[in-house]
Each structure stands twice: as C-alpha cells, then as structure tokens.
Amino acid sequence: MPRILMERSGEMEVFTRVVQEGGFSAAARSLDLTPSAVSKLIARLEKRLGVRLLLRTTRALTLTEEGEAYHHAALRILQEMNDADQQAAGGAVRGRLRVSVTVPLGTMFVVPAMPGFVARNPDLVVDLSLSDGIVDLVAEKTDVAIRMGNLPDSGLIARKLGQSRRVVCASPAYLARKGRPETPADLESHDCLTFSFRRARPSWPFRCEGRDLEQPVTGSLVVNNGETMKQMALAGAGIARLGLFHVAAEIAEGKLVALLEDCNPGDLEMVHAIHVPGGPVPHRVRAFIDHMAETLRASPLLHAEG
C-alpha cells in the first residue's frame, strides 16, 4: 500500500505540473524528467482512472471535464500533504504563496509590509500581483486576495481586515480652472474620473439633509485602478471619489481638496482577505493574513472595527 500511495502522489504532482506549465516538455524541464517519461506517467494515470484527462493537439493542451475535477482534487490533496509535512516540522511556513491585492492597498500597505513578512518566513516564496480587477482565485491559482468593497456571494472564505469611508476630491488647480461644485447636481458640468471595471457604479451616492440620492457622473477619463485615478486627480484631470485612506495624506498636504463633505453619505468600504474554502487553511495563507491583519490594525487610516 505505501508504494501505491507514493505512485499516486507522484502522478498527481506530474499531472498538476503539466497543467501549470501548459505542456509536457515544459513540465518535464521543471521536474527534471524527460518528455517521454512525463507522457508515460500521464498515460498510466489515465489508464488507471479509465478516463481521458487531457486533450492534446500540436498547438494546445486542454483539460476534459474529468480532468478539471481531478485537477482541483489533486491540488487540494497535494496541498494537504504539504501542510501535513509543515505541521510535522513544527508549523514552518514553506512553499509558494500567490497573492493578489488591489493597487492602492498594495502600494500603501502590502508592499511595505512584505520585507518583514519574508524575513519571518525565509522558506516562503511570495508571488505578489497588484490589480484592481476581479480575480478568479481557482482559475488563476491564487492563494489569497485582499480586496475592498462588497463581496459577491461566491462561497469564498473572507476575513475582515479594515474599512474606510470614501471622499470626493479634486486638485486646487482643477477647481481654479473649473470651479468648485457646491451641490451633487453641480457634478453634471464637471469632469468626473470613473472606473472601467464591471462592478463600477455609474453614479455616486450622497446624503443631503437626510435624503439619499444617486448622482450620475461622467467624464473624459476612465481608469482601471485607484492609484491611477489618484494620480489623475493630482494632475488636475478631474474630480475623483476614492477611499479616504488612499488620499488622506494628499488632502492634509493641500494637494487635494475634499468636496461635498456636507453630503458625504459615510458609506464604508470594507477590506477583506479572501481565499478558497475546503480543508484546513494552509499555514502560508494563515501566516500572511495574520501578518496583514496586524499591519492594517496598526494603521490609523483603516479601522477593522465599527
């Protein structure tokens, strides 16, 4: 029985590497095997299971429906095996951690926190990606993502790390050129910076004299991340609505001016760490989330409670 289990785990490792690398030759190079050895292992696996896992052509390699299911299961099993090894070794954090973070949170909090995290966990390799786009954690093989905003009902596991209200703001140069809006309706005659991603709202919420309203906004610039929007606002390109944590320093320094604060609805944008459910949370994921919770808790710009 031990010999059979070793063969199965080896087959799983080779199979997941073929999927990861996108081909037999690339997988063989990464595993220090010959392409023929990889091909034989996959053929043996498919024969043992009695199903076709991969569809191979001269140009592409794709997973069958059975291959998709086996791939997800194999990734989970291999991760549990790695976690068992780590637990037996005293809970050491090892392996590769794939992290996706929004651009503002990444530049302001995660990137500065990474040297300390890596120093604590020298056997861990962190693959960090900054993007404000929606990430499919399973499809993109991402271990953990840190995102702002309301979470869709996706079945993912989420831990709240902080929160921030939003603020409408513009540069003094823009206001000198275009005038200062005194009511939300005044925004109709202004260049408002908007986001291009699907979940972006076509209007901005306000609460004036106890009445909630949605003010449609338009402009000549559409961007795909908050950091670019902030830089555009600083350059005088238009009016932005951003998380206060993101622009608090620029407002305090007079580089940006908060607008329509009497009508600010006080809506909060939550910061969550999210990861895929199923089995124990890997040590590397738990260690990273704990580290970021500690980092954000120490920041006056993001408050986890309230």
Side-chain angles (χ1 to χ4, degrees):
M1 183 63 70
R3 181 178 63 83
I4 295 174
L5 291 176
M6 287 174 61
E7 288 180 355
R8 288 183 179 179
S9 64
E11 289 170 350
M12 285 183 178
E13 180 68 34
V14 171
F15 174 70
T16 57
R17 192 65 64 89
V18 168
V19 176
Q20 176 183 327
E21 299 293 338
F24 285 15
S25 296
R29 287 192 296 270
S30 70
L31 293 166
D32 198 22
L33 296 171
T34 64
S36 63
V38 171
S39 179
K40 288 177 181 178
L41 279 167
I42 297 300
R44 187 179 71 189
L45 173 61
E46 290 180 326
K47 181 178 180 180
R48 180 171 63 79
L49 296 176
V51 296
R52 178 66 63 86
L53 300 175
L54 297 167
L55 297 176
R56 302 178 286 280
T57 67
T58 56
R59 293 186 177 182
L61 181 149
T62 58
L63 287 166
T64 64
E65 184 176 348
E66 293 81 4
E68 287 276 5
Y70 187 81
H71 182 240
H72 290 318
L75 288 175
R76 185 183 69 251
I77 291 168
L78 290 171
Q79 183 57 61
E80 289 175 354
M81 292 172 63
N82 289 334
D83 290 344
D85 288 346
Q86 291 180 8
Q87 188 171 3
V93 179
R94 299 189 180 96
R96 190 178 192 88
L97 177 71
R98 293 178 175 84
V99 180
S100 174
V101 190
T102 59
V103 178
L105 287 171
T107 55
M108 293 185 67
F109 300 104
V110 179
V111 171
M114 290 315 300
F117 179 67
V118 172
R120 284 189 194 178
N121 305 284
D123 295 325
L124 185 68
V125 175
V126 180
D127 184 345
L128 178 62
S129 173
L130 271 61
S131 171
D132 282 357
I134 297 175
V135 174
D136 185 328
L137 300 191
V138 175
E140 300 189 27
K141 301 181 179 66
T142 300
D143 295 300
V144 59
I146 298 182
R147 287 289 182 268
M148 295 201 72
N150 296 327
L151 295 177
D153 185 13
S154 61
L156 298 172
I157 305 299
R159 175 177 171 184
K160 181 182 173 183
L161 301 180
Q163 63 189 26
S164 173
R165 74 177 180 91
R166 297 173 72 86
V167 62
V168 176
C169 58
S171 71
Y174 174 86
L175 297 176
R177 187 174 75 253
K178 300 282 288 188
R180 179 173 183 143
E182 299 298 336
T183 69
D186 292 341
L187 294 174
E188 293 180 4
S189 60
H190 282 270
D191 285 322
C192 294
L193 305 173
T194 57
F195 287 112
S196 60
F197 34 80
R198 292 192 306 273
R199 69 181 187 277
R201 301 169 69 168
S203 59
W204 291 348
F206 292 96
R207 178 175 297 158
C208 300
E209 298 178 349
R211 184 172 63 90
D212 292 330
L213 61 94
E214 291 281 336
Q215 176 61 48
V217 293
T218 59
S220 55
L221 282 171
V222 181
V223 301
N224 69 350
N225 68 82
E227 182 61 23
T228 299
M229 180 174 286
K230 182 175 82 168
Q231 295 304 321
M232 290 293 184
L234 286 168
I239 298 176
R241 187 172 190 262
L242 292 163
L244 180 58
F245 81 93
H246 195 187
V247 292
E250 287 75 13
I251 290 174
E253 295 168 4
K255 297 177 180 178
L256 291 174
V257 178
L259 305 171
L260 303 171
E261 280 293 271
D262 289 345
C263 290
N264 192 311
D267 55 323
L268 295 175
E269 208 174 22
M270 305 302 172
V271 183
H272 289 96
I274 56 177
H275 59 90
V276 177
V281 180
H283 287 292
R284 66 187 189 282
V285 172
R286 184 164 56 246
F288 175 75
I289 293 175
D290 288 345
H291 184 76
M292 291 313 307
E294 179 183 333
T295 298
L296 297 186
R297 192 163 49 241
S299 172
L301 298 176
L302 292 169
H303 305 283
E305 303 300 329

